[in-house]
Amino acid sequence: MDVQLKRGLLDVCVLTAIKNEDSYGYKIIRDVMPYIEMSESTLYTILKRLEVSKMLTVRSEEYEGRLRKYYHITELGLKRIEEFKDDWRQIMSIYKFVVSEENKR
């Protein structure tokens, strides 16, 4: 898979994982693993990029005597998910065209 395409997919998967409730790193990985493989190091790179892009915010909270970072989606993050859905509809249209052309041979 194209690196840039996969990067965009991973970003949207992470945003979707925190769309309905704030979450933390390990839980985000668990939530996305059934759909796409992601290492811990990849996740934290994505989370930092999304924070810098203002698509999520971070807060620290104590949990069992340690600080845990919780991630919260912003309006920009929600907008990115909607943009992805629009992009994906276009990609699926192109895919259908490519497949239909192959079937004509």
Side-chain angles (χ1 to χ4, degrees), residues 8 11-20 49-57 72-85:
D11 287 1
V12 172
C13 285
V14 169
L15 290 169
T16 300
I18 64 173
K19 180 180 176 185
N20 295 321
R49 181 173 58 245
L50 293 172
E51 180 184 9
V52 168
S53 301
K54 303 204 183 313
M55 291 189 205
L56 59 80
T57 58
H72 176 81
I73 195 165
T74 65
E75 286 300 318
L76 279 176
L78 292 169
K79 183 178 175 189
R80 176 63 195 113
I81 292 172
E82 292 308 310
E83 289 169 352
F84 170 80
K85 290 176 185 178

Side-chain angles (χ1 to χ4, degrees), residues 18 23-32 38-40 43-44 47 68-71:
I18 64 173
S23 193
Y24 55 95
Y26 178 73
K27 184 171 184 316
I28 294 168
I29 289 175
R30 247 188 19 235
D31 290 344
V32 301
M38 181 185 312
S39 70
E40 203 172 309
L43 172 65
Y44 288 105
L47 289 169
R68 178 186 275 174
K69 287 185 177 183
Y70 285 87
Y71 300 90

